Amino acid sequence: PSDKLHIGHTYCTVATDAIARYKRMCGYDVMFLTGTDEHGQKIEEKAEAAGVTPKQFVDNIVEGPGGVRALWKLMNISNDRFIRTTDDYHCQSIQKIFRKMYEKGDIYKGTYKGKYCKPCESFWTESQLVDGKCPDCGREVMDAEEEAYFFRLSKYADRVRHLLEDTDFLQPRSRVNEMVNNFIKPGLEDLCVSRTSFSWGIPVDFDPGHVVYVWVDALFNYTTALGFMNDRYHDYDKYWPADVHFVGKEIVRFHSIIWPAMLMSMDMPLPKHVYGHGWLVMDGPASWTFPALRARRITTSPRGVGMPVVSRISVVTSPSRSISRAVAISVPSRTKMPGFSVPVTTSVDSPSRPMDVSPRVPRSRSWCSIQLSMVVFPAFLHMPTMDMVFTPFNISSSCEDI
């Protein structure tokens, strides 16, 4: 992490926490994993600016007062396990995974020359930019040229396209059109998977001048946290493949294109579904999409601009029979006053209708956090993709002082 968590991370994690709690109540075996993605160029630079080492920098954000662990404790997140990508067992597993893909011929050495978005840790071609800026976050990109290793993403283009177009792997369907039209049809290019211009990352063990690209590092911790290629845990055969990855829509590309291609290279099972949820926005229309998913395990990975975080959840579910019709926003007071709930009604019959989220509480209260949860739980897996309107009250200070 390069800064404190924002409310979008809380939204994703609390939503999946609600799923985990519901499934536990139903008697299912639930493994809830959450953790942090801690490598990358922007973290190295922020640590240098703060006058500390990168490890000291992330330790403070994750373990320090008001850090990630403290926030999840405050939000009463019921995770069973917490992984940090700086954990020794994870780093060693990633080195083995990188070497295996290299020995298979799916990773090769070359020179990268193109555009790079530091906040998103994303590589782009000139044609993919929007008004010369990162198409994901809208920030300026930088020119990058360095020796690097590449993953043969183009080799798996046809298989990934089939996965997206001919199966229900990626949901909702609108995400499929975006991925195919913006990335598959223009032609998948091989992916740069190592860096030499900075050092804060997992070293490539057979070429120590290189560090593994942060998204290779981040994505595989879904499996290393279960014991894949390490002896720390022994849950891989039990909990993999996941039935659903529950992720923010801004990182769908990594989870629906790059991730399955790398799993194909490793001859590993693919998750059965990727579901890209929406954002919390300050104004604009609310949109609902109810996926028809029957999942056994769910993983969630929020990763926001300026704050790369990987959180995971494994959930067991059963087929749904109805859809939740109410949402409650529980807003605990910073001054330890009793929490309260604001009922928010929605219409399943008219899912495009904006929600009324006007709180029936004094506007002068000081918010500490906002917890989103479904109230009627016949099938919480019917989780809406929504851009929710929070104009009626101020949430800018929700977590900034934690």
Side-chain angles (χ1 to χ4, degrees):
S2 61
D3 208 339
K4 301 296 185 182
L5 295 181
H6 58 65
I7 195 171
H9 300 116
T10 304
Y11 164 42
C12 186
T13 305
V14 170
T16 48
D17 179 65
I19 303 174
R21 290 173 181 274
Y22 172 64
K23 296 307 168 185
R24 290 189 189 108
M25 288 190 295
C26 292
Y28 291 98
D29 179 15
V30 175
M31 167 62 76
F32 186 172
L33 309 171
T34 189
T36 47
D37 169 12
E38 300 180 9
H39 292 120
Q41 183 177 7
K42 63 181 174 182
I43 292 175
E44 182 177 88
E45 293 181 356
K46 286 198 171 187
E48 183 179 358
V52 297
T53 67
K55 186 61 163 62
Q56 290 172 328
F57 184 78
V58 294
D59 281 349
N60 181 59
I61 290 178
V62 177
E63 307 286 354
V68 177
R69 284 186 181 269
L71 177 60
W72 291 161
K73 183 178 180 180
L74 174 71
M75 299 303 298
N76 198 26
I77 303 301
S78 62
N79 58 290
D80 302 296
R81 190 171 298 168
F82 193 98
I83 180 177
R84 299 178 58 180
T85 58
T86 52
D87 290 339
D88 290 343
Y89 75 90
H90 171 76
C91 295
Q92 294 166 7
S93 297
I94 294 300
Q95 289 178 325
K96 295 175 184 177
I97 291 167
F98 195 93
R99 176 184 285 273
K100 183 173 180 179
M101 290 191 288
Y102 174 76
E103 292 175 347
K104 186 177 181 177
D106 281 350
I107 287 180
Y108 63 93
K109 182 181 278 190
T111 300
Y112 176 78
K113 185 176 182 180
K115 303 296 182 181
Y116 184 71
C117 175
K118 194 185 305 179
C120 293
E121 305 279 9
S122 300
F123 296 99
W124 301 103
T125 63
E126 190 76 41
S127 63
Q128 291 173 324
L129 302 180
V130 177
D131 297 327
K133 298 181 179 180
C134 173
D136 279 350
C137 72
R139 288 180 169 90
E140 299 289 341
V141 295
M142 55 185 288
D143 292 320
E145 182 173 0
E146 59 189 89
E147 180 183 86
Y149 284 93
F150 290 81
F151 172 68
R152 297 187 189 277
L153 186 61
S154 57
K155 173 181 175 180
Y156 297 95
D158 290 342
R159 290 175 65 183
V160 171
R161 181 167 185 171
H162 165 70
L163 182 71
L164 295 176
E165 292 187 326
D166 301 327
T167 74
D168 61 352
F169 172 75
L170 178 56
Q171 298 192 11
R173 193 67 189 177
S174 59
R175 306 282 187 239
V176 175
N177 298 332
E178 178 185 354
M179 293 301 107
V180 172
N181 293 334
N182 293 343
F183 301 105
I184 303 294
K185 287 184 178 179
L188 278 182
E189 298 185 2
D190 291 350
L191 177 70
C192 178
V193 290
S194 78
R195 303 293 305 277
T196 55
S197 57
F198 63 93
S199 60
W200 181 237
I202 299 175
V204 176
D205 60 353
F206 56 85
D207 197 344
H210 292 252
V211 294
V212 177
Y213 175 43
V214 66
W215 270 104
V216 178
D217 170 10
L219 288 167
F220 271 103
N221 63 25
Y222 290 123
T223 59
T224 63
L226 299 174
F228 182 69
M229 288 199 165
N230 67 75
D231 295 325
R232 176 69 175 271
Y233 297 110
H234 305 280
D235 302 305
Y236 176 75
D237 291 336
K238 182 178 182 181
Y239 290 113
W240 192 262
D243 288 67
V244 176
H245 284 322
F246 189 72
V247 304
K249 64 181 181 180
E250 75 280 4
I251 56 172
V252 165
R253 176 171 68 100
F254 299 99
H255 286 80
S256 66
I257 296 177
I258 296 172
W259 180 222
M262 290 192 297
L263 289 171
M264 292 171 185
S265 174
M266 290 290 293
D267 297 318
M268 295 170 64
L270 306 184
K272 296 177 183 178
H273 299 285
V274 168
Y275 181 71
H277 67 75
W279 291 344
L280 298 174
V281 296
M282 293 307 298
D283 49 32
S287 60
W288 289 77
T289 302
F290 294 97
L293 298 181
R294 177 178 179 177
R296 183 168 178 269
R297 287 179 292 277
I298 294 176
T299 60
T300 173
S301 172
R303 183 185 181 100
V305 175
M307 177 57 202
V309 171
V310 178
S311 299
R312 284 163 299 287
I313 178 172
S314 297
V315 177
V316 183
T317 77
S318 59
S320 62
R321 297 191 178 181
S322 60
I323 296 176
S324 302
R325 291 180 178 270
V327 175
I329 302 176
S330 175
V331 191
S333 168
R334 173 170 295 182
T335 56
K336 298 184 179 179
M337 296 175 63
F340 50 86
S341 295
V342 182
V344 181
T345 59
T346 65
S347 171
V348 176
D349 297 328
S350 302
S352 62
R353 194 164 107 195
M355 297 183 299
D356 172 19
V357 295
S358 303
R360 310 299 193 262
V361 295
R363 296 174 62 97
S364 60
R365 291 186 183 270
S366 175
W367 314 134
C368 181
S369 56
I370 294 182
Q371 180 172 345
L372 304 177
S373 61
M374 284 298 190
V375 179
V376 183
F377 284 110
F380 192 84
L381 189 56
H382 281 272
M383 180 67 198
T385 287
M386 52 189 171
D387 294 332
M388 296 173 59
V389 183
F390 277 99
T391 305
F393 62 100
N394 179 17
I395 61 170
S396 62
S397 63
S398 59
C399 295
E400 63 186 10
D401 295 330
I402 297 177

